[in-house]
Amino acid sequence: MKDNKNTPIWLKASAAYVSSLMSALFIFIALCAVDGLMKSGPSLFCSVWDPERGNFGILPMIWASGLLSLSSLITGWTFSVGCCCFIHGFGPRWAARFLANILRIMTAVPTVVYGFASVFLLVPLIRNGLGGSGFSWLTASIVLSLLIMPTMVLSMDSAFKTIEAQTSITSAALGFTREQNIAMVVLPASKQWIWSSALLGFGRAAGDTLIPTMLAGNAVQYANTPLDAMRTLTAHIGLVLSSDVGGTAYLSLFVAGGILLFVSISANILFRLMRKKIWMQG
Amino acid sequence: MALCAEIKNLSVSFHGRKAVSQVSAELPAEGISVLLGRSGSGKTTFLRALNRLNETFQGYEGSGKVCLSLGGKMKDIYSADQLTPTDLRRKVGMVFQIPNPLPMSIRRNIMLPLQLIPGFNRSKAEDRMETALKTTGLWEEVKDRLDTPANRFSGGQQQRLCLARTLALEPEILLLDEPTASLDKKSSELIEDYLISLKNRYSMVMVSHNIRQALKLGSFFIFLREGKIVTAISKKELPEGKEAEKIMSDLL
Ligand SMILES: Nc1ncnc2c1ncn2[C@@H]1O[C@H](COP(=O)(O)OP(=O)(O)OP(=O)(O)O)[C@@H](O)[C@H]1O
Ligand SMILES: [Mg+2]
């Protein structure tokens, strides 16, 4: 951005405020994470969480966070692309409008409502239908993918709308049907927005705390089947903070937080690079 | 006189407002028919009635009959059992006022519409692309850059691409909606020359704002005002030279 002498002072002030706040946060977490790493060192990267004996293993939580966010992202993203195509011409008009409205309403539903409803509806269904306790990777993943869908669909949808408006007459004049225009013209042209909506979805999935805490069972273990319970980094931080463990256990949480921050920033950078590459290819 | 289009009592309205009302006309198969009129007089709407493009807009309502000469026969294009809109639009190609390449490479712009025709194979599509690009004089300019996004080319090149894209479908009738309006003089003249060279191969209906261009290209003129036809006149009925221009501008 160019330096502009006419920028109002309040704009400069808020920019300075936000950037200093963000850097303070980053520096704080980084320092505490380094401190945690020094103090509890190798005991962090094992599989046992037993703070009273000095075992602060967070590997199972890292595993759980990765597994849960990626699985939710893949299902949620796939369904989002599908929903978008449905809204723009593959479905009947009334159904498309209905779906679009449902998705818009879904953005306004607080996360805790999803969790609460799932505890009473989805958990028993999975317990009785598939076995286990019902609090599992699968349960959390289903709800989380649902939770991240509206944001992804709406961001893809705005790209679809713009590109469809630009191309639909042209395509119609060349003998395309509306479906063909979506599949062959709009979808390829919105590539970069489709990827960046995956970035949005990943951010939400990796950072969500409430859904895994309420639905994933919170057992510190490596979940191997979808019906196993798991504890994500976010749920772990929340749970430990709300019970009264102190000292080094707290510092290990900063390591967990630092890892989350690192992952989401690298994902961000990665997606940006991909987007730029797609953009340069035209 | 052989006809390319026969229009009876055509009315088109959008959101209840009439754009074309009760228009009847017969367009000759030979040469270029030119639609003239002020802005908002319904020229584009009239043109879009010939490939059923009006119905893709919101609030469309239409009535009347349009018959086009396709495959050697007069066909009622609005009757459901004769042609689907898709087939119709492949046979009646259209070039727009503003160059409108699709957001993809030059190659794909021309190949994609062809590949959507059932049973059309790729090598045949490649041949058609090359022929069409040569017809519009673009081949030498772009043959090494076929995979470059189409929007990186100049306006005139893009418009010739759009013409080539339409020609590649081997239409029987060409609709041209002010095809040179957004171009500079030199690019306009280039397009005009290509249209003249094509006028023996296709029936063409063109909208023009420019009387000089209309006289240079056209052989039949239709004047529209507020959605109605004021006059239809053939070039033979007009005097030569400056006088014709004056008569035409009086009719506008
Ligand atoms: N898609 C549409 N939706 C609503 N109204 C329309 C639409 N297309 C045309 N109209 C209306 O129909 C009338 C005729 O428009 P049309 O575009 O046919 O005029 P035109 O003669 O081509 O004008 P111009 O020379 O400016 O291109 C105008 O009043 C216009 O507002
Ligand atoms: Mg017009």
Side-chain angles (χ1 to χ4, degrees), chain A residues 93 163 167 169-177 180-181 184-185 189 279-282, chain B residues 51 53 56-58 86 89-90 96 100 102-104 108 112-113 116 149 152 165 169:
Chain A
R93 212 161 270 247
I163 296 171
T167 60
I169 305 294
T170 307
S171 308
L174 291 166
F176 294 32
T177 61
Q180 286 171 336
N181 184 42
M184 315 274 187
V185 181
W279 189 75
M280 302 228 293
Q281 283 166 356
Chain B
N51 66 349
L53 209 54
T56 62
F57 292 91
Q58 290 224 321
T86 295
R89 289 169 192 158
R90 287 184 185 134
F96 294 77
N100 58 345
L102 292 169
M104 45 183 75
R108 208 164 153 67
L112 185 60
L116 291 178
R152 298 221 188 129
R165 182 175 65 185
L169 286 163

Side-chain angles (χ1 to χ4, degrees), chain B residues 39-40 42-45 48 97 177-178 207 209:
Chain B
S39 190
K43 306 181 294 291
T44 300
T45 310
R48 287 196 304 232
Q97 179 170 358
D177 190 358
E178 304 189 46
V207 173
H209 248 126

Side-chain angles (χ1 to χ4, degrees), chain A residues 92-110:
Chain A
R93 212 161 270 247
W94 63 268
R97 198 165 303 161
F98 182 72
L99 180 64
N101 282 330
I102 293 267
L103 285 163
R104 221 158 279 138
I105 292 168
M106 274 169 77
T107 54
V109 177

Side-chain angles (χ1 to χ4, degrees), chain A residues 174 176 180-189 191 282, chain B residues 101-116 122 125-126 129 133 145-150 153 161 165 168-169:
Chain A
L174 291 166
F176 294 32
Q180 286 171 336
N181 184 42
I182 292 291
M184 315 274 187
V185 181
V186 178
L187 206 57
K191 242 187 324 190
Chain B
L102 292 169
M104 45 183 75
S105 67
I106 290 218
R107 184 196 301 277
R108 208 164 153 67
N109 255 289
I110 300 182
M111 299 272 283
L112 185 60
L114 295 172
Q115 283 168 333
L116 291 178
R122 201 183 157 83
E126 296 263 5
M129 172 180 73
L133 285 174
R145 293 185 289 166
L146 288 174
D147 293 306
T148 311
F153 291 84
L161 166 67
R165 182 175 65 185
L169 286 163

Side-chain angles (χ1 to χ4, degrees), chain A residues 106-137:
Chain A
M106 274 169 77
T107 54
V109 177
T111 316
V112 69
V113 176
Y114 284 95
F116 190 70
S118 306
V119 168
F120 287 99
L121 298 172
L122 187 61
V123 169
L125 203 70
I126 287 187
R127 180 165 47 219
N128 301 331
L130 298 172
S133 70
F135 292 94
S136 62
W137 171 18

